[in-house]
Amino acid sequence: MELAIIALTKSGINIAHKIEARMGGDIYITERFFDQSDSGKVHPIKTPFIDFVHRIFPKYTGLIFVTATGIAVRAIANVIKDKRTDPAVVVVDEQGKFAISLLSGHLGGANELALKIARVLGCTPVITTASDIQGFESIDLLAKRLGLYIDNFSNLARVSSCIVNGEKVALSVERGFPQEKLVGLSDKTQGFSGGVPRDAAATVFVTDEKISPPTEPYAILRPQNTVLGIGARRGASYQELLSLLEKALEDFNLSEQSVGCISSIEIKKDEECICRLAEYLNVPLKLYTKAQLSEYEDRFPKSPFVKTAVGVGCVARPSAYIASLGGKELGYYKGSGITLSVFKRRTS
């Protein structure tokens, strides 16, 4: 985590140095207390305080204010955007007695950051998120830990509220997903198969498939276990590739959000259609060398043309096989100058 530690008084600066010594980060202090002999990690605040905070807010993944809570609240009020992107914000009092998780407690990691600071200073962590107080893992933190994409994020607060308030929340988990990983959520919900129970106040789905949304609040946690292996001639059409993907997703009733990565051969690192698809899906592009692919190409049909062009008899299938950790192929598609292999990543 990239940390900014902000202090405005001499006692606060001493606390900031204690935190930096154990956790790293950049220290920002009032200009009148800045000494040129300070280390390169100490920086003076030269602009109005709120302007300064607005400037650095998006540059760090964690902000630690060694100030009064009100100062921190007023400083960040107009730059808070979304719990998925806002940095963790923790406030430490100038005597170092409390570390308060103020913003982005779960997804941003402020709760964990507050606990770490408390260990460094020997102080009391203050965490107020309802799930933590009640002693169970929140949906968003569980999703972050397991690498699940939260679909229908706007409903998450309502679903979480139902869990916290002890209402009946239904849980549907796709076949093959390791349910032991959901033990905390399972304890607070009621599993079902088939139609959503009529008396459910909310529903949580753990699935890579498209579903018909229920009328009550719901959240979908998407295992991003679909791997797309792609082979493409130079200059192949992006629209052609997109059409193949749409057909594959339709054939297997898969959500776009279930795609975890795209794979191909190293020499295709700049191929426009592949790069555009990775950007569109917001997933990493995993590239393999000829030597890596050649270890697995004999498992699949090979093309003499492809062998001549890139030095290996096939690309889409062996690259997806590697990226899926030896998973199962769901389907294979051919277009004009494009091949697409769809694998499901092995989970164990």
Side-chain angles (χ1 to χ4, degrees):
M1 181 176 282
E2 296 293 324
L3 296 177
I5 309 166
I6 303 162
L8 304 179
T9 65
K10 287 185 176 180
S11 57
I13 292 169
N14 290 334
I15 296 294
H17 279 289
K18 289 180 182 179
I19 296 171
E20 189 277 329
R22 293 281 298 278
M23 300 177 61
D26 295 321
I27 298 175
Y28 292 92
I29 65 175
T30 306
E31 187 173 20
R32 68 192 181 95
F33 294 132
F34 180 75
D35 190 315
Q36 292 295 337
S37 64
D38 284 331
S39 71
K41 289 197 171 185
V42 181
H43 312 279
I45 301 172
K46 297 182 178 181
T47 59
F49 186 66
I50 290 180
D51 292 343
F52 153 74
V53 172
H54 288 189
R55 178 174 59 82
I56 71 165
F57 190 81
K59 296 182 179 181
Y60 291 89
T61 51
L63 273 67
I64 303 169
F65 287 83
V66 190
T67 66
T69 303
I71 291 175
V73 169
R74 289 186 177 90
I76 67 175
N78 290 328
V79 285
I80 296 172
K81 293 181 179 178
D82 191 301
K83 64 189 296 183
R84 290 169 289 186
T85 57
D86 290 333
V89 178
V90 172
V91 177
V92 178
D93 67 283
E94 294 179 357
Q95 297 301 311
K97 294 181 179 180
F98 301 97
I100 306 167
S101 174
L102 185 66
L103 180 72
S104 296
H106 289 149
L107 292 181
N111 290 355
E112 183 181 358
L113 181 58
L115 292 170
K116 289 180 179 178
I117 294 170
R119 288 193 290 269
V120 168
L121 300 179
C123 69
T124 302
V126 180
I127 295 171
T128 59
T129 42
S131 59
D132 296 272
I133 292 173
Q134 294 187 18
F136 67 92
E137 189 175 34
S138 66
I139 296 177
D140 48 1
L141 195 57
L142 178 144
K144 180 181 179 181
R145 178 171 61 82
L146 297 181
L148 304 174
Y149 176 89
I150 303 175
D151 213 340
N152 199 35
F153 193 89
S154 60
N155 249 344
L156 186 62
R158 295 175 65 191
V159 175
S160 298
S161 176
C162 290
I163 295 176
V164 168
N165 288 308
E167 298 178 72
K168 181 176 179 179
V169 177
L171 173 66
S172 175
V173 183
E174 70 176 27
R175 184 180 302 174
F177 188 89
Q179 298 225 16
E180 65 274 10
K181 293 184 177 181
L182 302 172
V183 60
L185 181 60
S186 300
D187 291 344
K188 294 289 183 178
T189 57
Q190 298 183 30
F192 75 96
S193 58
V196 177
R198 291 184 178 181
D199 59 344
T203 307
V204 178
F205 298 89
V206 181
T207 180
D208 58 12
E209 295 185 352
K210 299 174 185 175
I211 65 166
S212 298
T215 55
E216 71 275 359
Y218 68 97
I220 309 174
L221 307 185
R222 301 283 189 195
Q224 293 186 290
N225 53 12
T226 301
V227 175
L228 306 178
I230 301 173
R233 291 183 183 177
R234 178 63 62 189
S237 166
Y238 170 68
Q239 290 302 323
E240 176 83 6
L241 177 56
L242 194 59
S243 295
L244 289 180
L245 172 61
E246 290 171 352
K247 177 170 175 49
L249 296 177
E250 184 67 28
D251 286 349
F252 298 101
N253 194 38
L254 294 174
S255 165
E256 271 187 8
Q257 282 74 37
S258 74
V259 178
C261 73
I262 290 173
S263 64
S264 191
I265 190 169
E266 196 173 48
I267 61 174
K268 292 297 178 180
K269 63 181 180 181
D270 297 320
E271 190 62 47
E272 182 182 4
C273 67
I274 297 176
C275 294
R276 283 184 65 183
L277 187 64
E279 182 178 359
Y280 167 72
L281 295 173
N282 192 29
V283 298
L285 176 57
K286 296 187 177 182
L287 301 169
Y288 301 98
T289 65
K290 290 185 289 185
Q292 288 173 308
L293 296 181
S294 65
E295 291 184 35
Y296 300 96
E297 65 173 328
D298 288 340
R299 294 171 179 261
F300 309 101
K302 292 177 286 187
S303 162
F305 174 82
V306 175
K307 181 75 171 181
T308 301
V310 300
V312 64
C314 49
V315 170
R317 281 171 154 163
S319 69
Y321 179 82
I322 299 171
S324 67
L325 307 178
K328 177 184 178 182
E329 186 178 45
L330 301 180
Y332 180 69
Y333 299 83
K334 290 184 177 182
S336 178
I338 296 174
T339 55
L340 171 68
S341 178
V342 183
F343 268 72
K344 190 164 187 175
R345 184 183 289 116
R346 197 169 74 177
T347 57
S348 60

